[in-house]
Amino acid sequence: DMAQRHQPETPILLMRVKLNMAKAYIGLSDFKEAKVIIDDILGSPVLDQFIREKSQGLDLLGAWYKQQGYYQAAYDTYTQAKELVETYNDVVLLKAIQEERMALCELLEDVTEGYAVQKEYIQVINEINTRDLSLAALKLDVKHSTKAIEKKANIDYLTGVYNRNYLEETVNQWLHNDDASQVLTCLALDIDNFKAMNDTYGHLFGDQVIQLLSQTCVDVVRKDDIVGRYGGDEFIVILKGTTSKTGKKKAEQLKDVLRERPLTQQNVIIPVEISIGVTDTVISEATTFKELFKFADQALYEAKRKGKNQVCVTV
């Protein structure tokens, strides 16, 4: 009734409803009502433009014959349906039709025809498998593309380490997950005299200095720790399960390794020095990244005030 009232008038919608009605009547073994609807469907000129629905109508007619024991008529009808389905290559419906044809060949005891249908069925299965593999490959490609986009969104373009947004989100997760009792130590690093380097040797050299520091941080910290560029020439290192006492040792190690990696510009050897502020979640009682960073940044400011190229720890 709803399909008939639909505006604008949509004949194919009515046909689709009737297909389901006929299927229901067959399931109820009310073959008389089912046949009236099926004849109405297959006799409609509307289906000349909708091959899929026409093949579904033939599929239903095949089921109607089979349920009543008219096996040859059922087989012939399913064959008509198969030929229609092959024109638009619906492998799912084709698989179901071929299964019915194989079952009917057994009921008709037609071994020769059954063998031919079985070969056709195997081809359909292979086609489905091929499509499934292609779909799986496509999903994998989409997954990889999504991961690449996510990685690009989380990575600093110049250094390849994490950016400020990723740092903040990840540390906040660590502070609020089931392992929130684990101590985190924050190192805030800043390149000493960076502006003077930029002014003297140019911004491309400044980029080299930033890249050197980021790579040194990555080389020194553990796999589970995080290195990120907070902005400009300032970097953040987050150490998991480590107090500021151990964090101070790691900061001193960073300074020592960096000292052994001077850059050369215009035949001049230029050492790269950094100031580092250190704090942890016990001292700061921080529950967010911003709170933790605030304490580390204050310690970094103190290191700068005391003459640079040193490590200061929040007390």
Side-chain angles (χ1 to χ4, degrees):
D1 289 344
M2 293 299 294
Q4 286 174 332
R5 293 181 208 164
H6 188 276
Q7 293 297 326
E9 187 176 331
T10 311
I12 189 59
L13 176 61
L14 187 60
M15 290 296 106
R16 288 167 181 161
V17 172
K18 288 182 176 180
L19 281 166
N20 285 301
M21 289 174 63
K23 185 175 182 180
Y25 277 124
I26 292 171
L28 292 167
S29 298
D30 190 339
F31 300 113
K32 183 177 179 180
E33 285 295 332
K35 188 64 163 61
V36 170
I37 297 174
I38 291 172
D39 287 346
D40 181 44
I41 293 170
L42 294 177
S44 172
V46 172
L47 292 194
D48 292 340
Q49 301 174 43
F50 295 93
I51 303 301
R52 179 184 178 85
E53 283 73 13
K54 189 168 186 176
S55 61
Q56 290 173 332
L58 288 169
D59 180 50
L60 277 176
L61 181 58
W64 186 86
Y65 280 128
K66 182 183 177 185
Q67 291 288 339
Q68 297 175 88
Y70 305 133
Y71 299 140
Q72 187 61 57
Y75 182 81
D76 294 340
T77 305
Y78 276 122
T79 300
Q80 291 180 56
K82 175 189 84 82
E83 291 169 354
L84 268 182
V85 173
E86 286 175 336
T87 63
Y88 64 91
N89 204 18
D90 180 347
V91 291
V92 175
L93 180 54
L94 190 58
K95 174 177 176 288
I97 289 173
Q98 292 292 57
E99 287 171 351
E100 292 292 347
R101 292 178 77 225
M102 283 192 297
L104 286 164
C105 283
E106 288 188 24
L107 292 170
L108 291 166
E109 298 182 353
D110 191 335
V111 177
T112 303
E113 187 66 14
Y115 175 71
V117 174
Q118 192 171 51
K119 286 175 66 178
E120 293 174 350
Y121 178 73
I122 291 171
Q123 289 178 347
V124 175
I125 294 297
N126 288 337
E127 174 67 18
I128 291 173
N129 289 338
T130 301
R131 291 189 183 190
D132 286 345
L133 286 172
S134 297
L135 182 59
L138 179 60
K139 287 180 178 178
L140 190 62
D141 185 52
V142 170
K143 185 178 180 181
H144 286 167
S145 297
T146 303
K147 284 188 174 181
I149 291 169
E150 289 176 353
K151 183 177 180 181
K152 194 171 182 179
N154 293 329
I155 297 298
D156 176 66
Y157 74 97
L158 178 62
T159 61
V161 298
Y162 290 113
N163 58 26
R164 177 175 174 174
N165 183 63
Y166 180 85
L167 278 170
E168 186 165 348
E169 288 184 358
T170 303
V171 173
N172 284 335
Q173 287 176 7
W174 286 355
L175 289 169
H176 295 97
N177 65 12
D178 295 336
D179 200 22
S181 60
Q182 182 173 239
V183 179
L184 299 180
T185 291
C186 177
L187 278 58
L189 296 71
D190 188 273
I191 300 169
D192 295 332
N193 307 312
F194 183 68
K195 184 177 183 304
M197 290 181 182
N198 268 334
D199 293 343
T200 305
Y201 302 107
H203 291 285
L204 290 179
F205 178 75
D207 288 349
Q208 292 181 43
V209 176
I210 289 173
Q211 289 168 336
L212 173 67
L213 176 55
S214 65
Q215 187 58 55
T216 302
C217 290
V218 172
D219 292 343
V220 170
V221 303
R222 301 166 305 178
K223 183 180 179 181
D224 292 336
D225 299 328
I226 294 181
V227 177
R229 185 183 180 191
Y230 190 77
D233 62 322
E234 190 166 4
F235 287 78
I236 300 292
V237 175
I238 303 294
L239 308 174
K240 292 187 73 173
T242 301
T243 63
S244 57
K245 181 178 180 180
T246 305
K248 185 176 187 298
K249 294 179 181 178
K250 183 63 68 175
E252 295 289 356
Q253 183 186 359
L254 269 170
K255 285 173 68 276
D256 293 342
V257 173
L258 194 61
R259 189 184 304 116
E260 297 170 359
R261 300 178 176 183
L263 294 172
T264 302
Q265 184 73 1
Q266 300 173 6
N267 297 320
V268 177
I269 297 176
I270 305 166
V272 178
E273 297 178 342
I274 55 175
S275 298
I276 307 175
V278 182
T279 194
D280 63 35
T281 49
V282 176
I283 296 172
S284 65
E285 297 182 347
T287 58
T288 66
F289 169 80
K290 288 181 178 178
E291 292 173 357
L292 186 64
F293 171 72
K294 179 182 177 182
F295 278 85
D297 198 45
Q298 289 172 348
L300 171 60
Y301 177 81
E302 185 65 15
K304 292 285 190 182
R305 191 186 67 80
K306 288 183 176 181
K308 304 178 181 179
N309 191 31
Q310 56 185 285
V311 177
C312 281
V313 181
T314 303
V315 293

